[in-house]
Amino acid sequence: MSATGTTATGTATGIRLHAPAPGWSVTADVVIVGSGVAGLTAALRCQAAGLRTVVVTKARLDDGSTRWAQGGVAAALGEGDTPEQHLDDTLVAGAGLCDEEAVRTLVTEGPDAVRRLIETGAHFDESVDGALALTREGGHHRRRIAHAGGDATGAEISRALVEAVRARGIRTVENALVLDLLTDADGRTAGVSLHVMGEGQHDGVGAALAPAVVLATGGMGQVFSATTNPHVSTGDGVALALRAGAEVSDLEFVQFHPTVLFLGTDAEGQQPLVSEAVRGEGAHLVDADGVRFMLGQHELAELAPRDIVAKGITRRMQELGAEHMYLDARHFGAEMWETRFPTILAACRAHGIDPVTEPIPVAPAAHYASGGVRTDLQGRTTVPGLYACGEVACTGVHGANRLASNSLLEGLVYAERIADDIAASHRENGLHARVPAPVPHPETPTHALMPPEARFAVQRVMTRGAGVLRSADSLAEAAAGLGRIHAEAAGALAENGKTSEPGVDTWEATNLLCVARVLVAAARRREETRGCHWREDHADRDDAAWRRHIVVRLNPDRTLAVHTTPTAEFPPTRPECRTNQQEQ
């Protein structure tokens, strides 16, 4: 395995989730955590390379974020389109913080990756001449979004990949919440500990042992009260990586989708998404008086990059004292709604809104984490043997704001690169014979678990202080609020040695608090407005001071080590390639 981090003494925090000792184990060449497009693509590629592969997923195989994706997958597949044009649109959306090499990798390898997905069994919508039907979304100057089932692209991709995984007999462990990375005495990856919920071959806490672990755990949208993310998106992968000593980057750049079905100011949890493709097909954003307020704000109006549209909606809401705006697509007619956007139509009607005859009330909600666990072009993190891809990773592709429909493509391209790197390492080093020997976890709690109700406390704090609009004051209040949540639990542990009982609710709440603290720390550090990070007190983009990345590690005492890179270039993940970095 290629060296991708320092030794145990250099990266390990010693922090683990309090949990029973593993009562069972499975052994493999690679363990993949997550069953979205990134995880299942990596699994299929690893298995095809002859690697013993185990997929661990938090719910059922098809219950991840991928199946909720509506719009589609972006790639230069249409006549007259080129990877260079796709690259240009991605760099513009990323607001100066994309890694150009990472983006070039994405857009050049992307079209073939989509074709391989089709060969795997995914069926995309076609035009009357049999070519792929391509639509357009925000930030794209060409129609390059391939879609399936009208607005059910994620569900179709998930179906095809799940069927392929099952047909090829890849071992899976479903309903399993990953807990912590296991490492050997040298600090190298040795697998993961996990807790299986419900019936199956295994139950309770166990271990999946392997010299390579791929995190494909998706996002952390549940850190906010309202999100498009499913209930399982609690930042488990980012929190695991932080406890393992990995670096995370750009976590302040949380994309708020501009058009989420507004269900009321008190609505919490997963909210229905109204895909950007609806605007791509000609829907208009209007206020209560029918005024198209995005005209004149950007050359692409409603199809501007998502951060600009989200800000435009929020500004108009503030100006009018309104709780939401409207998306008007009545001119589509019933037939177009029923054939092109059946999923959205059904969701709206389920909540008493008929978009065929009335505008849809919409407001921004947390949607996608552009930052995450820092990786190189092979998906390697700063911890040896630990990889990350998909929304949990920060490859440098998205910069300060993800271009619409690049997420599924990133999952495809970088999952394939990870699998190829792991396979090459096994060929070079003969790691089939290596059985990892993980260092035992502590038997008594050394760090407090948050009580279940902390989940909702974290969400309220984050929504108030670190949502679409941020300021020094709001972020300071958020940091203080998160500090109080942590101090209360830590105080009980220090006073009487007790912590909340280990369980899914307490582990998820602890993970949410962990990623929330990092997000707020990075957002406080970045004193400018860039991409989807909007500081009211620093309204302008400042390239001279802030065209650079904010990198965070977790210290053994649970404090955060935050530093800013000297330039917009990502530091190498491998220690032998690192340049001197000064912590600020």
Side-chain angles (χ1 to χ4, degrees):
M1 195 74 64
S2 303
T4 61
T6 55
T7 63
T9 57
T11 63
T13 65
I15 301 172
R16 298 289 183 271
L17 290 175
H18 179 49
W24 54 269
S25 67
V26 297
T27 301
D29 296 320
V30 55
V31 173
I32 295 165
V33 187
S35 61
V37 62
L40 296 187
T41 298
L44 289 167
R45 189 103 164 183
C46 284
Q47 190 258 0
L51 300 175
R52 296 173 299 164
T53 303
V54 171
V55 175
V56 173
T57 187
K58 193 172 180 180
R60 303 290 294 175
L61 273 185
D62 60 355
D63 277 345
S65 293
T66 291
R67 76 181 181 96
W68 297 99
Q70 294 175 346
V73 54
L77 295 163
E79 183 177 353
D81 198 4
T82 65
E84 198 68 26
Q85 294 176 67
H86 190 183
L87 179 141
D88 290 343
D89 285 346
T90 301
L91 295 181
V92 169
L97 281 186
C98 294
D99 182 307
E100 186 166 340
E101 187 178 1
V103 177
R104 193 172 297 280
T105 298
L106 177 83
V107 299
T108 55
E109 297 182 9
D112 283 343
V114 173
R115 294 183 185 103
R116 283 189 288 273
L117 177 62
I118 294 171
E119 291 171 0
T120 301
H123 301 294
F124 287 89
D125 296 338
E126 297 179 348
S127 58
V128 291
D129 61 359
L132 282 177
L134 301 175
T135 191
R136 190 173 160 210
E137 293 184 359
H140 293 273
H141 283 80
R142 283 191 175 272
R143 285 182 170 263
R144 65 167 66 96
I145 316 300
H147 49 84
D151 59 356
T153 309
E156 171 58 17
I157 290 174
S158 180
R159 179 205 62 77
L161 292 174
V162 168
E163 285 187 7
V165 164
R166 287 176 172 156
R168 298 180 193 182
I170 295 175
R171 187 169 191 173
T172 60
V173 182
E174 297 180 283
N175 300 308
L177 171 63
V178 67
L179 300 178
D180 279 302
L181 188 74
L182 302 176
T183 54
D184 64 17
D186 296 323
R188 300 188 59 82
T189 293
V192 291
S193 57
L194 60 150
H195 173 76
V196 178
M197 306 165 277
E199 298 180 1
Q201 183 178 357
H202 305 289
D203 194 18
V205 175
L209 305 177
V213 168
V214 180
L215 294 179
T217 52
M220 55 183 194
Q222 290 290 329
V223 79
F224 294 97
S225 296
T227 177
T228 62
N229 289 191
H231 188 77
V232 295
S233 297
T234 50
D236 307 319
V238 172
L240 174 150
L242 283 163
R243 290 192 295 270
E247 293 180 351
V248 303
S249 185
D250 299 356
L251 221 62
E252 68 272 29
F253 296 119
V254 176
Q255 188 176 78
F256 287 77
H257 198 289
T259 53
V260 175
L261 184 61
F262 180 75
L263 300 180
T265 55
D266 296 330
E268 294 184 336
Q270 186 178 11
Q271 314 285 301
L273 175 67
V274 182
S275 170
E276 198 157 295
V278 178
R279 281 175 281 137
E281 296 292 350
H284 302 144
L285 282 165
V286 298
D287 60 22
D289 295 323
V291 176
R292 286 184 63 187
F293 55 88
M294 284 305 298
L295 291 176
Q297 294 200 35
H298 190 276
E299 61 169 335
L300 297 176
E302 284 95 351
L303 284 177
R306 287 177 177 175
D307 63 306
I308 293 172
V309 180
K311 291 171 187 175
I313 291 173
T314 304
R315 283 195 188 101
R316 194 65 166 177
M317 288 163 56
Q318 289 179 323
E319 291 170 4
L320 301 178
E323 296 176 337
H324 60 82
M325 291 289 106
Y326 294 92
L327 187 64
D328 191 352
R330 289 174 290 179
H331 55 285
F332 284 5
E335 182 179 355
M336 182 173 176
W337 268 111
E338 290 165 1
T339 57
R340 181 66 179 88
F341 300 111
T343 307
I344 298 169
L345 178 63
C348 288
R349 285 177 169 170
H351 291 282
I353 299 154
D354 188 351
V356 176
T357 60
E358 60 186 317
I360 306 168
V362 294
H367 182 57
Y368 191 88
S370 292
V373 185
R374 197 166 72 78
T375 73
D376 62 12
L377 294 180
Q378 283 70 46
R380 299 176 295 192
T381 74
T382 52
V383 173
L386 179 65
Y387 295 77
C389 61
E391 190 174 354
V392 71
C394 181
T395 62
V397 159
H398 304 308
N401 185 45
R402 174 179 68 95
L403 181 65
S405 288
N406 268 356
S407 51
L408 292 175
L409 190 71
E410 184 195 32
L412 287 171
V413 169
Y414 282 90
E416 291 185 346
R417 294 178 72 85
I418 285 172
D420 292 347
D421 190 72
I422 295 172
S425 297
H426 277 255
R427 287 193 299 270
E428 293 169 7
N429 302 321
L431 292 178
H432 278 302
R434 177 175 174 247
V435 178
V439 174
H441 279 193
E443 295 182 2
T444 57
T446 56
H447 299 277
L449 286 176
M450 298 301 110
E453 59 269 21
R455 177 185 185 125
F456 306 104
V458 167
Q459 290 173 338
R460 288 190 289 270
V461 166
M462 293 297 288
T463 298
R464 283 197 305 267
V468 177
L469 295 176
R470 300 167 179 174
S471 68
D473 289 344
S474 76
L475 291 167
E477 291 175 5
L482 297 175
R484 286 192 293 271
I485 295 169
H486 174 260
E488 185 174 340
L493 178 63
E495 184 175 337
N496 54 34
K498 293 184 178 180
T499 186
S500 297
E501 286 296 317
V504 173
D505 290 344
T506 57
W507 290 322
E508 286 185 333
T510 304
N511 286 338
L512 282 172
L513 178 62
C514 178
V515 297
R517 291 178 60 222
V518 176
L519 193 162
V520 168
R524 296 182 78 183
R525 175 66 65 91
R526 185 172 292 280
E527 296 180 334
E528 65 159 354
T529 290
R530 182 184 297 270
C532 51
H533 172 67
W534 188 5
R535 287 284 297 260
E536 292 182 284
D537 51 342
H538 296 281
D540 298 323
R541 172 170 155 177
D542 184 354
D543 280 351
W546 290 108
R547 190 168 177 258
R548 54 196 68 196
H549 302 278
I550 295 174
V551 179
V552 183
R553 288 185 294 103
L554 186 63
N555 291 322
D557 63 357
R558 298 186 76 93
T559 59
L560 301 177
V562 184
H563 74 267
T564 306
T565 61
T567 69
E569 300 296 320
F570 268 115
T573 56
R574 288 169 291 177
E576 63 269 23
C577 300
R578 288 182 188 272
T579 56
N580 292 329
Q581 298 174 356
Q582 180 180 1
E583 293 200 357
Q584 300 179 354

